[in-house]
Amino acid sequence: MEDSNHTGVSQFIFQGLCTTRELEIFLLLPFSTLYLMTIVGNLFVVILIIIDHHLHSPMYFLLANLSFVDFCLSSVNTPKLAIDLLKENKTISFGGCMSQILCVHFFGGSEMVLLVTMAYDRCVAICRPLHYSTIMDRQKCIWLVVISWIIGFVHAISQILLILDLPFCGPRVIDSFFCDIPLVMKLACVNTDTLEILINADSGILATTCFILLLISYTYILLTVKLHSKDGSSKALSTCTSHIIVVVLFFGPIIFIYLWPVNITWVDKFLAVFYTVITPFLNPAIYTLRNKDIKNAIRKLINHM
C-alpha cells in the first residue's frame, strides 16, 4: 500500500484549538462571525476604493491591495477551522496540508512586502510632498504591488519545495488547527535539523528585512517632520499610527512563531489565531476608524443609498 513515492501518510489529523467539545461548540459562533466580518470588511474597503474617485490615489490603491491580501489570508485557514469545530475527527489530506502551507506563506509574504511598500508611500508623501505625484505614479504603484506578489510567491515556493519530499511514515497528528511548517516537520521520519535552519533562515531573512525597512521608514518620517514643523511629531504620528498598529499586529506573532519560538503549545495556537484570523479582521477597522477620507466616502455612499 503506497499513497505516493515520498510519503506513507495520505492525511494528517488536527488536534484543533482545544480538547473540550463544549468549548469547541462555544467557539464556533465567534469564529464564524469573525470570518464573515473579515470578508465583508475587507471586500467593502476594496469596493469603496474602486467606486469612489476621491480615493484613487497611491495610498488607497495600496490599501485596497492590502485588504484583498487579508481577505485571501483569512480564507486559507478560518473556514476549515470553523468546520472542524463541529467535527470530532479533524483531518486534512496531504495535498490539502501542503496547499495550506503554500497559501499562508504566499499571502503572508506578500503582505510583509506590501506593508513596506505602504511605508515607502507614506515616506515619500510626508518627506517629499512636492515630488510625490512624480515618484509615486500609477505605473510605479502597479509594479510595487506586482513585486510584492512575486516575492510572496517565490518565498512560498521556496518553503514548500524544502518540505514536499520529506518522508512521512509515522505519527500524523498535528497539535494545531492548520498545517504549518514547524509542526509538519516534526512528523517527518528523518532528521530535519538542517532543513529547519534553512527554512527559518528563509522566513527570517524576509521577515527581518521587511521589519527593519519598516522601522527605518517610520523613524525617518517622524524625524523629518519633527525637524520641519513645531507640531510635526504629533502630525506624523496621526498620519502613520494606523500603519504602525497594523505592522505591530502582523509582525509580532510571526516573530514569536518563526524567529523566536516559545515552544508552548497554547501560546503558538493563540499567536497563529491572531495573525491568521484576528489581524485580517482588525486591519479594515483600523484604517476606516482612523481615516477621514474613508469615513467621508462611507458617508457619501450611505447618503446615496
mmCIF file of all heavy atoms in Angstrom, residues 148-187:
data_model
loop_
_atom_site.group_PDB
_atom_site.id
_atom_site.type_symbol
_atom_site.label_atom_id
_atom_site.label_comp_id
_atom_site.label_asym_id
_atom_site.label_seq_id
_atom_site.Cartn_x
_atom_site.Cartn_y
_atom_site.Cartn_z
ATOM 1 N N SER A 148 5.460 42.755 -4.841
ATOM 2 C CA SER A 148 5.091 42.157 -3.551
ATOM 3 C C SER A 148 4.496 40.765 -3.745
ATOM 4 O O SER A 148 4.787 39.839 -2.975
ATOM 5 C CB SER A 148 4.105 43.066 -2.808
ATOM 6 O OG SER A 148 2.819 43.033 -3.389
ATOM 7 N N TRP A 149 3.674 40.593 -4.781
ATOM 8 C CA TRP A 149 3.098 39.274 -5.076
ATOM 9 C C TRP A 149 4.181 38.300 -5.544
ATOM 10 O O TRP A 149 4.161 37.121 -5.174
ATOM 11 C CB TRP A 149 2.018 39.400 -6.146
ATOM 12 C CG TRP A 149 0.732 39.979 -5.637
ATOM 13 C CD1 TRP A 149 0.327 41.275 -5.712
ATOM 14 C CD2 TRP A 149 -0.318 39.276 -4.951
ATOM 15 N NE1 TRP A 149 -0.904 41.425 -5.126
ATOM 16 C CE2 TRP A 149 -1.327 40.229 -4.653
ATOM 17 C CE3 TRP A 149 -0.501 37.962 -4.562
ATOM 18 C CZ2 TRP A 149 -2.494 39.881 -3.973
ATOM 19 C CZ3 TRP A 149 -1.672 37.626 -3.885
ATOM 20 C CH2 TRP A 149 -2.653 38.572 -3.607
ATOM 21 N N ILE A 150 5.124 38.783 -6.352
ATOM 22 C CA ILE A 150 6.197 37.915 -6.848
ATOM 23 C C ILE A 150 7.079 37.434 -5.692
ATOM 24 O O ILE A 150 7.411 36.246 -5.594
ATOM 25 C CB ILE A 150 7.053 38.655 -7.901
ATOM 26 C CG1 ILE A 150 6.238 38.867 -9.185
ATOM 27 C CG2 ILE A 150 8.327 37.863 -8.218
ATOM 28 C CD1 ILE A 150 6.938 39.747 -10.217
ATOM 29 N N ILE A 151 7.454 38.360 -4.802
ATOM 30 C CA ILE A 151 8.294 37.983 -3.655
ATOM 31 C C ILE A 151 7.557 36.987 -2.770
ATOM 32 O O ILE A 151 8.127 36.005 -2.291
ATOM 33 C CB ILE A 151 8.714 39.223 -2.854
ATOM 34 C CG1 ILE A 151 9.681 40.071 -3.671
ATOM 35 C CG2 ILE A 151 9.372 38.819 -1.517
ATOM 36 C CD1 ILE A 151 10.071 41.395 -3.028
ATOM 37 N N GLY A 152 6.260 37.231 -2.530
ATOM 38 C CA GLY A 152 5.457 36.296 -1.740
ATOM 39 C C GLY A 152 5.402 34.922 -2.370
ATOM 40 O O GLY A 152 5.511 33.897 -1.674
ATOM 41 N N PHE A 153 5.258 34.885 -3.695
ATOM 42 C CA PHE A 153 5.185 33.608 -4.406
ATOM 43 C C PHE A 153 6.514 32.858 -4.345
ATOM 44 O O PHE A 153 6.543 31.656 -4.069
ATOM 45 C CB PHE A 153 4.790 33.855 -5.864
ATOM 46 C CG PHE A 153 4.691 32.601 -6.687
ATOM 47 C CD1 PHE A 153 3.621 31.737 -6.527
ATOM 48 C CD2 PHE A 153 5.672 32.287 -7.621
ATOM 49 C CE1 PHE A 153 3.524 30.575 -7.281
ATOM 50 C CE2 PHE A 153 5.584 31.134 -8.378
ATOM 51 C CZ PHE A 153 4.511 30.280 -8.209
ATOM 52 N N VAL A 154 7.608 33.575 -4.587
ATOM 53 C CA VAL A 154 8.940 32.949 -4.540
ATOM 54 C C VAL A 154 9.222 32.417 -3.144
ATOM 55 O O VAL A 154 9.746 31.306 -2.966
ATOM 56 C CB VAL A 154 10.032 33.958 -4.973
ATOM 57 C CG1 VAL A 154 11.427 33.395 -4.713
ATOM 58 C CG2 VAL A 154 9.864 34.311 -6.443
ATOM 59 N N HIS A 155 8.858 33.202 -2.125
ATOM 60 C CA HIS A 155 9.045 32.776 -0.736
ATOM 61 C C HIS A 155 8.258 31.498 -0.446
ATOM 62 O O HIS A 155 8.779 30.543 0.134
ATOM 63 C CB HIS A 155 8.609 33.887 0.218
ATOM 64 C CG HIS A 155 8.453 33.453 1.638
ATOM 65 N ND1 HIS A 155 9.523 33.039 2.420
ATOM 66 C CD2 HIS A 155 7.347 33.325 2.435
ATOM 67 C CE1 HIS A 155 9.090 32.693 3.620
ATOM 68 N NE2 HIS A 155 7.777 32.858 3.657
ATOM 69 N N ALA A 156 6.986 31.475 -0.871
ATOM 70 C CA ALA A 156 6.130 30.311 -0.616
ATOM 71 C C ALA A 156 6.647 29.068 -1.334
ATOM 72 O O ALA A 156 6.690 27.972 -0.754
ATOM 73 C CB ALA A 156 4.695 30.613 -1.050
ATOM 74 N N ILE A 157 7.053 29.232 -2.584
ATOM 75 C CA ILE A 157 7.561 28.097 -3.362
ATOM 76 C C ILE A 157 8.844 27.553 -2.749
ATOM 77 O O ILE A 157 9.042 26.334 -2.644
ATOM 78 C CB ILE A 157 7.809 28.518 -4.834
ATOM 79 C CG1 ILE A 157 6.474 28.738 -5.559
ATOM 80 C CG2 ILE A 157 8.624 27.457 -5.567
ATOM 81 C CD1 ILE A 157 5.610 27.498 -5.711
ATOM 82 N N SER A 158 9.727 28.455 -2.317
ATOM 83 C CA SER A 158 10.984 28.008 -1.707
ATOM 84 C C SER A 158 10.727 27.223 -0.421
ATOM 85 O O SER A 158 11.443 26.265 -0.117
ATOM 86 C CB SER A 158 11.895 29.208 -1.418
ATOM 87 O OG SER A 158 11.336 30.035 -0.408
ATOM 88 N N GLN A 159 9.698 27.617 0.331
ATOM 89 C CA GLN A 159 9.362 26.915 1.566
ATOM 90 C C GLN A 159 8.777 25.527 1.276
ATOM 91 O O GLN A 159 9.172 24.529 1.874
ATOM 92 C CB GLN A 159 8.334 27.736 2.366
ATOM 93 C CG GLN A 159 8.841 29.068 2.880
ATOM 94 C CD GLN A 159 9.625 28.946 4.170
ATOM 95 O OE1 GLN A 159 9.095 28.684 5.231
ATOM 96 N NE2 GLN A 159 10.929 29.141 4.080
ATOM 97 N N ILE A 160 7.829 25.483 0.344
ATOM 98 C CA ILE A 160 7.130 24.223 0.081
ATOM 99 C C ILE A 160 8.051 23.201 -0.575
ATOM 100 O O ILE A 160 7.955 21.993 -0.312
ATOM 101 C CB ILE A 160 5.866 24.458 -0.786
ATOM 102 C CG1 ILE A 160 4.876 23.299 -0.636
ATOM 103 C CG2 ILE A 160 6.204 24.677 -2.229
ATOM 104 C CD1 ILE A 160 4.191 23.222 0.688
ATOM 105 N N LEU A 161 8.973 23.646 -1.423
ATOM 106 C CA LEU A 161 9.892 22.723 -2.082
ATOM 107 C C LEU A 161 10.821 22.036 -1.088
ATOM 108 O O LEU A 161 11.259 20.903 -1.310
ATOM 109 C CB LEU A 161 10.718 23.451 -3.145
ATOM 110 C CG LEU A 161 9.968 23.866 -4.421
ATOM 111 C CD1 LEU A 161 10.885 24.622 -5.363
ATOM 112 C CD2 LEU A 161 9.369 22.643 -5.127
ATOM 113 N N LEU A 162 11.118 22.737 0.024
ATOM 114 C CA LEU A 162 12.020 22.173 1.022
ATOM 115 C C LEU A 162 11.381 21.033 1.813
ATOM 116 O O LEU A 162 12.077 20.156 2.322
ATOM 117 C CB LEU A 162 12.486 23.275 1.990
ATOM 118 C CG LEU A 162 13.490 24.288 1.432
ATOM 119 C CD1 LEU A 162 13.705 25.431 2.414
ATOM 120 C CD2 LEU A 162 14.822 23.621 1.096
ATOM 121 N N ILE A 163 10.051 21.042 1.928
ATOM 122 C CA ILE A 163 9.397 20.008 2.751
ATOM 123 C C ILE A 163 8.542 19.033 1.945
ATOM 124 O O ILE A 163 8.102 18.015 2.481
ATOM 125 C CB ILE A 163 8.513 20.650 3.847
ATOM 126 C CG1 ILE A 163 7.313 21.367 3.227
ATOM 127 C CG2 ILE A 163 9.305 21.585 4.725
ATOM 128 C CD1 ILE A 163 6.236 21.669 4.233
ATOM 129 N N LEU A 164 8.347 19.307 0.666
ATOM 130 C CA LEU A 164 7.417 18.499 -0.134
ATOM 131 C C LEU A 164 7.845 17.037 -0.234
ATOM 132 O O LEU A 164 7.000 16.133 -0.239
ATOM 133 C CB LEU A 164 7.275 19.106 -1.535
ATOM 134 C CG LEU A 164 6.093 18.623 -2.372
ATOM 135 C CD1 LEU A 164 4.772 18.887 -1.670
ATOM 136 C CD2 LEU A 164 6.101 19.291 -3.739
ATOM 137 N N ASP A 165 9.137 16.796 -0.304
ATOM 138 C CA ASP A 165 9.625 15.430 -0.479
ATOM 139 C C ASP A 165 10.083 14.771 0.822
ATOM 140 O O ASP A 165 10.721 13.717 0.798
ATOM 141 C CB ASP A 165 10.779 15.409 -1.485
ATOM 142 C CG ASP A 165 10.278 15.588 -2.913
ATOM 143 O OD1 ASP A 165 9.186 15.080 -3.207
ATOM 144 O OD2 ASP A 165 10.970 16.247 -3.716
ATOM 145 N N LEU A 166 9.744 15.370 1.956
ATOM 146 C CA LEU A 166 10.065 14.727 3.227
ATOM 147 C C LEU A 166 9.250 13.444 3.389
ATOM 148 O O LEU A 166 8.066 13.409 3.028
ATOM 149 C CB LEU A 166 9.743 15.669 4.398
ATOM 150 C CG LEU A 166 10.726 16.799 4.701
ATOM 151 C CD1 LEU A 166 10.187 17.670 5.824
ATOM 152 C CD2 LEU A 166 12.100 16.255 5.070
ATOM 153 N N PRO A 167 9.863 12.382 3.917
ATOM 154 C CA PRO A 167 9.099 11.152 4.152
ATOM 155 C C PRO A 167 8.282 11.242 5.442
ATOM 156 O O PRO A 167 8.819 11.543 6.507
ATOM 157 C CB PRO A 167 10.197 10.082 4.276
ATOM 158 C CG PRO A 167 11.392 10.831 4.783
ATOM 159 C CD PRO A 167 11.294 12.225 4.237
ATOM 160 N N PHE A 168 6.969 11.007 5.333
ATOM 161 C CA PHE A 168 6.085 10.988 6.495
ATOM 162 C C PHE A 168 5.524 9.574 6.628
ATOM 163 O O PHE A 168 4.663 9.178 5.859
ATOM 164 C CB PHE A 168 4.945 11.990 6.339
ATOM 165 C CG PHE A 168 5.409 13.421 6.235
ATOM 166 C CD1 PHE A 168 5.587 14.020 4.997
ATOM 167 C CD2 PHE A 168 5.672 14.155 7.375
ATOM 168 C CE1 PHE A 168 6.014 15.330 4.900
ATOM 169 C CE2 PHE A 168 6.088 15.467 7.289
ATOM 170 C CZ PHE A 168 6.271 16.052 6.047
ATOM 171 N N CYS A 169 6.048 8.820 7.576
ATOM 172 C CA CYS A 169 5.659 7.416 7.665
ATOM 173 C C CYS A 169 5.166 7.022 9.055
ATOM 174 O O CYS A 169 4.737 5.896 9.272
ATOM 175 C CB CYS A 169 6.840 6.523 7.276
ATOM 176 S SG CYS A 169 8.361 6.924 8.157
ATOM 177 N N GLY A 170 5.252 7.953 10.001
ATOM 178 C CA GLY A 170 4.889 7.604 11.375
ATOM 179 C C GLY A 170 3.688 8.356 11.883
ATOM 180 O O GLY A 170 2.630 8.336 11.263
ATOM 181 N N PRO A 171 3.834 9.087 12.986
ATOM 182 C CA PRO A 171 2.704 9.818 13.558
ATOM 183 C C PRO A 171 2.209 10.884 12.580
ATOM 184 O O PRO A 171 2.991 11.459 11.820
ATOM 185 C CB PRO A 171 3.300 10.465 14.818
ATOM 186 C CG PRO A 171 4.768 10.509 14.580
ATOM 187 C CD PRO A 171 5.081 9.316 13.740
ATOM 188 N N ARG A 172 0.917 11.129 12.598
ATOM 189 C CA ARG A 172 0.343 12.104 11.672
ATOM 190 C C ARG A 172 -0.560 13.106 12.368
ATOM 191 O O ARG A 172 -1.397 13.734 11.746
ATOM 192 C CB ARG A 172 -0.428 11.382 10.565
ATOM 193 C CG ARG A 172 -1.492 10.424 11.057
ATOM 194 C CD ARG A 172 -1.919 9.467 9.958
ATOM 195 N NE ARG A 172 -2.950 8.554 10.450
ATOM 196 C CZ ARG A 172 -4.227 8.609 10.078
ATOM 197 N NH1 ARG A 172 -4.620 9.501 9.206
ATOM 198 N NH2 ARG A 172 -5.112 7.757 10.558
ATOM 199 N N VAL A 173 -0.383 13.265 13.680
ATOM 200 C CA VAL A 173 -1.211 14.188 14.461
ATOM 201 C C VAL A 173 -0.493 15.535 14.587
ATOM 202 O O VAL A 173 0.642 15.614 15.058
ATOM 203 C CB VAL A 173 -1.507 13.619 15.871
ATOM 204 C CG1 VAL A 173 -2.323 14.620 16.681
ATOM 205 C CG2 VAL A 173 -2.247 12.298 15.756
ATOM 206 N N ILE A 174 -1.173 16.602 14.161
ATOM 207 C CA ILE A 174 -0.644 17.961 14.255
ATOM 208 C C ILE A 174 -1.380 18.688 15.371
ATOM 209 O O ILE A 174 -2.602 18.830 15.324
ATOM 210 C CB ILE A 174 -0.831 18.718 12.919
ATOM 211 C CG1 ILE A 174 -0.050 18.024 11.794
ATOM 212 C CG2 ILE A 174 -0.395 20.169 13.054
ATOM 213 C CD1 ILE A 174 -0.288 18.611 10.419
ATOM 214 N N ASP A 175 -0.637 19.146 16.358
ATOM 215 C CA ASP A 175 -1.248 19.800 17.513
ATOM 216 C C ASP A 175 -1.528 21.270 17.200
ATOM 217 O O ASP A 175 -0.925 22.180 17.757
ATOM 218 C CB ASP A 175 -0.344 19.675 18.746
ATOM 219 C CG ASP A 175 -1.071 20.091 20.023
ATOM 220 O OD1 ASP A 175 -2.284 20.365 19.955
ATOM 221 O OD2 ASP A 175 -0.422 20.135 21.083
ATOM 222 N N SER A 176 -2.455 21.461 16.276
ATOM 223 C CA SER A 176 -2.858 22.804 15.886
ATOM 224 C C SER A 176 -4.161 22.703 15.106
ATOM 225 O O SER A 176 -4.755 21.623 15.020
ATOM 226 C CB SER A 176 -1.766 23.477 15.042
ATOM 227 O OG SER A 176 -2.110 24.821 14.759
ATOM 228 N N PHE A 177 -4.581 23.830 14.501
ATOM 229 C CA PHE A 177 -5.813 23.827 13.708
ATOM 230 C C PHE A 177 -5.539 23.995 12.219
ATOM 231 O O PHE A 177 -6.454 24.020 11.416
ATOM 232 C CB PHE A 177 -6.760 24.936 14.189
ATOM 233 C CG PHE A 177 -6.174 26.330 14.056
ATOM 234 C CD1 PHE A 177 -6.401 27.088 12.925
ATOM 235 C CD2 PHE A 177 -5.403 26.867 15.068
ATOM 236 C CE1 PHE A 177 -5.865 28.357 12.796
ATOM 237 C CE2 PHE A 177 -4.863 28.137 14.955
ATOM 238 C CZ PHE A 177 -5.092 28.891 13.811
ATOM 239 N N PHE A 178 -4.248 24.116 11.854
ATOM 240 C CA PHE A 178 -3.874 24.198 10.439
ATOM 241 C C PHE A 178 -2.444 23.710 10.265
ATOM 242 O O PHE A 178 -1.695 23.581 11.233
ATOM 243 C CB PHE A 178 -4.040 25.626 9.906
ATOM 244 C CG PHE A 178 -2.946 26.580 10.317
ATOM 245 C CD1 PHE A 178 -2.022 27.030 9.395
ATOM 246 C CD2 PHE A 178 -2.853 27.047 11.627
ATOM 247 C CE1 PHE A 178 -1.018 27.919 9.763
ATOM 248 C CE2 PHE A 178 -1.871 27.935 12.012
ATOM 249 C CZ PHE A 178 -0.949 28.369 11.062
ATOM 250 N N CYS A 179 -2.078 23.440 9.026
ATOM 251 C CA CYS A 179 -0.731 22.949 8.731
ATOM 252 C C CYS A 179 0.253 24.109 8.711
ATOM 253 O O CYS A 179 0.056 25.089 7.993
ATOM 254 C CB CYS A 179 -0.710 22.241 7.373
ATOM 255 S SG CYS A 179 -1.463 20.613 7.389
ATOM 256 N N ASP A 180 1.295 23.986 9.494
ATOM 257 C CA ASP A 180 2.365 24.966 9.481
ATOM 258 C C ASP A 180 3.689 24.219 9.442
ATOM 259 O O ASP A 180 3.806 23.115 9.995
ATOM 260 C CB ASP A 180 2.285 25.873 10.705
ATOM 261 C CG ASP A 180 2.983 27.196 10.475
ATOM 262 O OD1 ASP A 180 3.445 27.441 9.347
ATOM 263 O OD2 ASP A 180 3.060 28.006 11.423
ATOM 264 N N ILE A 181 4.674 24.797 8.816
ATOM 265 C CA ILE A 181 5.927 24.096 8.550
ATOM 266 C C ILE A 181 6.597 23.528 9.808
ATOM 267 O O ILE A 181 6.979 22.350 9.818
ATOM 268 C CB ILE A 181 6.904 25.002 7.770
ATOM 269 C CG1 ILE A 181 6.406 25.164 6.336
ATOM 270 C CG2 ILE A 181 8.313 24.435 7.766
ATOM 271 C CD1 ILE A 181 7.276 26.029 5.463
ATOM 272 N N PRO A 182 6.780 24.306 10.883
ATOM 273 C CA PRO A 182 7.454 23.735 12.070
ATOM 274 C C PRO A 182 6.743 22.507 12.622
ATOM 275 O O PRO A 182 7.393 21.547 13.066
ATOM 276 C CB PRO A 182 7.421 24.892 13.080
ATOM 277 C CG PRO A 182 7.291 26.130 12.255
ATOM 278 C CD PRO A 182 6.448 25.729 11.093
ATOM 279 N N LEU A 183 5.404 22.518 12.595
ATOM 280 C CA LEU A 183 4.637 21.396 13.133
ATOM 281 C C LEU A 183 4.691 20.183 12.212
ATOM 282 O O LEU A 183 4.788 19.043 12.666
ATOM 283 C CB LEU A 183 3.177 21.824 13.338
ATOM 284 C CG LEU A 183 2.961 22.979 14.332
ATOM 285 C CD1 LEU A 183 1.511 23.421 14.330
ATOM 286 C CD2 LEU A 183 3.389 22.563 15.731
ATOM 287 N N VAL A 184 4.624 20.419 10.915
ATOM 288 C CA VAL A 184 4.652 19.318 9.946
ATOM 289 C C VAL A 184 6.033 18.657 9.929
ATOM 290 O O VAL A 184 6.141 17.435 9.845
ATOM 291 C CB VAL A 184 4.267 19.824 8.534
ATOM 292 C CG1 VAL A 184 4.489 18.738 7.486
ATOM 293 C CG2 VAL A 184 2.801 20.275 8.518
ATOM 294 N N MET A 185 7.096 19.451 10.038
ATOM 295 C CA MET A 185 8.454 18.894 10.013
ATOM 296 C C MET A 185 8.711 17.949 11.182
ATOM 297 O O MET A 185 9.507 17.022 11.067
ATOM 298 C CB MET A 185 9.487 20.018 10.006
ATOM 299 C CG MET A 185 9.699 20.650 8.654
ATOM 300 S SD MET A 185 11.297 21.512 8.539
ATOM 301 C CE MET A 185 11.202 22.615 9.929
ATOM 302 N N LYS A 186 8.033 18.194 12.301
ATOM 303 C CA LYS A 186 8.201 17.315 13.471
ATOM 304 C C LYS A 186 7.726 15.896 13.183
ATOM 305 O O LYS A 186 8.125 14.948 13.871
ATOM 306 C CB LYS A 186 7.417 17.876 14.660
ATOM 307 C CG LYS A 186 8.012 19.141 15.252
ATOM 308 C CD LYS A 186 7.159 19.641 16.414
ATOM 309 C CE LYS A 186 7.727 20.924 17.008
ATOM 310 N NZ LYS A 186 6.874 21.448 18.106
ATOM 311 N N LEU A 187 6.859 15.727 12.179
ATOM 312 C CA LEU A 187 6.297 14.410 11.868
ATOM 313 C C LEU A 187 7.111 13.650 10.832
ATOM 314 O O LEU A 187 6.785 12.509 10.510
ATOM 315 C CB LEU A 187 4.851 14.573 11.362
ATOM 316 C CG LEU A 187 3.891 15.352 12.271
ATOM 317 C CD1 LEU A 187 2.506 15.425 11.635
ATOM 318 C CD2 LEU A 187 3.813 14.706 13.655
#
